[in-house]
Amino acid sequence: MSAARSVQATGTSEPTLNDRLFAALSRFLAPVGRAPWWLHVTLLYAGARFVSFVIFTAAGWQAEASPWGGQRPGYLEFINRWDAGWYEKIFNHGYPDSIPRNPDGSAQPNEWAFYPVLPVLARGVHAVTGLGWAASGALVATLAGFGAALVIYKLFRNFAPAATALWGVAFFATFPVSPVLQVPYAESLGMLFLAGALHLLIRRNYWGAMPLVILLCLSRPAGVPFAAVVLLHLFLRWRNRDSSPFPRRDMLSGGLLLLVSVFMAVAWMLVAWWVTGDRSTYTDTETSWRGTELVLFKPWFDVGIELAGPFWGPLLPVLLVGLAGLYLNSRAVRRLGPELQMWCGMYLLYLLAVLHPQSSTFRMLLPLFPLALAAAFISPSRAYRWTVVLMFSLLQIVWIVWLWQYAAIDTGVGWPP
């Protein structure tokens, strides 16, 4: 009997080259599969940040001269743009004793719009290593991003098995605006403290959440929606106290967490008032970029009218709220639990109230990171999940080339990221 007939008779065949390569790759990756969860998250996040590094570097080679440097800047010079320049001023000189004003009395943009934790930590790195602002700020932001990814994984594990939680972290790490997590901005610090505070709130560790809330509110303006979530969380515990005990010690510590959250929501405004003697320092500074006073919710209707005219324009924010409400009540988002669902809703409401919608709005959506886990819940299909990661990674190119560059390659117009 020939060899071919012998193989056919026994039902076996010689392994192909692809089979051998797959087997070798499986043996090579086997130790990674047995590695602890924190190593999985670290490797995943490092890979995502390397992709962003490559995109930044390639975009820098195409960049024209800007207020922050000349043509073809290197990586550190290229990422030290936009708001990073304001943090650099704080790093070098601190905050001004008074805010600069125009002849008509309106405030000029100044450092008081930016929170102190990032430049303070960068000063600490500088004191230890001698590194300048660009390297110190980027190092703090990048390390905080790694920490945020680890804490987000632990947060997601409250609601999902390990594999799904890891996919949620992958969506967060590759989100189109995720490159901001490695530049000298405070977003990565905000994500680290926010994820930790939400995790401890869900675990009912109110004492542990308090210092994280303080750090969060001195890193990014997130105190108002977080205080609202704490209030709703305590209300739900009180309402369900017959079926789920709400002991007095939790009432006390939870109430104190609520007070801390409410106070920290306005703490930076009070600090600015105390230093400058002007009680409207913070609000005037924040609105100096838009050129108008703060009127809650109005900017969204104004932009709607600019985009769609006086008839359809006012309906755009209403449509946006309706679509957001439908999604936040979808099955995938409900699986996040009431606290994360409430956080997403309260944060969106906060943005609708105070934000002037423009190109930086995309970056402002990053605190909605719990929706990354909801996106993983939509389908367990690997094809779907890898497609999301691939599309997010490609959209990073759009974000960096369109917004991060001072003058975009295609239009020659710069928009703040």
Side-chain angles (χ1 to χ4, degrees):
M1 184 181 293
S2 67
R5 290 178 181 176
S6 177
V7 168
Q8 185 177 10
T10 58
T12 61
S13 60
E14 292 293 329
T16 65
L17 177 61
N18 287 339
D19 291 336
R20 289 194 294 269
L21 289 175
F22 180 78
L25 182 62
S26 298
R27 288 193 298 270
F28 176 77
L29 294 178
V32 177
R34 295 191 296 270
W37 67 269
W38 56 265
L39 184 57
H40 289 168
V41 174
T42 300
L43 291 175
L44 183 158
Y45 191 79
R49 296 286 63 81
F50 177 75
V51 170
S52 300
F53 168 81
V54 171
I55 298 172
F56 268 127
T57 302
W61 273 91
Q62 303 293 329
E64 300 293 336
S66 73
W68 304 278
Q71 291 182 322
R72 292 190 173 184
Y75 173 73
L76 284 179
E77 184 183 0
F78 188 52
I79 65 174
N80 190 35
R81 291 184 167 206
W82 302 102
D83 289 358
W86 289 106
Y87 285 115
E88 183 175 10
K89 291 182 179 181
I90 300 168
F91 174 88
N92 289 326
H93 308 297
Y95 292 89
D97 295 332
S98 60
I99 62 173
R101 293 189 178 274
N102 297 309
D104 63 358
S106 61
Q108 297 176 6
N110 64 87
E111 293 88 335
W112 281 109
F114 302 92
Y115 289 64
V117 171
L118 172 61
V120 167
L121 291 177
R123 287 288 297 179
V125 172
H126 168 74
V128 173
T129 65
L131 295 173
W133 155 253
S136 297
L139 181 61
V140 170
T142 303
L143 291 178
F146 274 94
L150 294 169
V151 177
I152 287 172
Y153 175 84
K154 294 296 289 184
L155 173 64
F156 286 175
R157 286 289 281 123
N158 291 306
F159 311 100
T164 304
L166 196 61
W167 277 106
V169 174
F171 291 172
F172 162 75
T174 58
F175 192 64
V177 300
S178 65
V180 78
L181 298 170
Q182 65 197 73
V183 307
Y185 273 42
E187 265 70 13
S188 55
L189 285 167
M191 296 304 98
L192 171 61
F193 301 137
L194 174 61
L198 287 170
H199 177 65
L200 293 176
L201 178 68
I202 291 168
R203 292 297 186 93
R204 301 176 180 180
N205 184 351
Y206 305 133
W207 292 108
M210 289 179 201
L212 293 179
V213 171
I214 294 172
L215 291 171
L216 168 64
C217 295
L218 293 176
S219 301
R220 295 289 301 156
V224 172
F226 191 86
V229 172
V230 174
L231 177 62
L232 293 171
H233 166 85
L234 295 176
F235 171 74
L236 290 178
R237 287 206 66 185
W238 179 83
R239 190 183 66 178
N240 299 325
R241 64 191 184 280
D242 292 336
S243 57
S244 179
F246 190 14
R248 184 167 299 178
R249 64 178 181 275
D250 283 1
M251 292 183 186
L252 175 62
S253 57
L256 186 57
L257 174 61
L258 177 60
L259 291 177
V260 169
S261 301
V262 170
F263 174 75
M264 290 308 303
V266 297
W268 188 238
M269 300 182 194
L270 298 177
V271 171
W273 180 6
W274 177 61
V275 172
T276 64
D278 186 342
R279 65 180 179 181
S280 62
T281 291
Y282 178 77
T283 53
D284 286 355
T285 299
E286 280 286 3
T287 56
S288 62
W289 276 270
R290 68 182 69 177
T292 58
E293 294 183 355
L294 175 63
V295 180
L296 299 182
F297 301 103
K298 183 176 181 292
W300 290 85
F301 292 95
D302 293 340
V303 171
I305 292 172
E306 291 178 10
L307 294 175
F311 181 77
W312 295 108
L315 297 179
L316 289 182
V318 177
L319 177 62
L320 180 64
V321 170
L323 292 175
L326 287 175
Y327 182 63
L328 291 179
N329 283 285
S330 66
R331 180 175 178 271
V333 178
R334 288 199 304 271
R335 291 179 64 181
L336 299 177
E339 287 83 7
L340 296 188
Q341 189 180 15
M342 288 186 297
W343 164 254
C344 294
M346 290 298 102
Y347 184 72
L348 280 175
L349 180 62
Y350 175 72
L351 292 184
L352 286 170
V354 303
L355 182 66
H356 185 279
Q358 30 87 22
S359 51
S360 295
T361 303
F362 301 109
R363 173 170 56 88
M364 302 298 179
L365 298 179
L366 200 55
L368 295 173
F369 70 86
L371 297 181
L373 181 59
F377 282 147
I378 289 176
S379 172
S381 165
R382 288 193 175 185
Y384 157 76
R385 291 173 172 177
W386 275 112
T387 299
V388 172
V389 168
L390 177 61
M391 293 306 299
F392 278 0
S393 300
L394 292 175
L395 286 172
Q396 290 182 34
I397 301 175
V398 177
W399 186 78
I400 291 174
V401 173
W402 175 38
L403 295 179
W404 192 261
Q405 293 201 74
Y406 180 67
I409 293 174
D410 55 347
T411 65
V413 177
W415 300 91

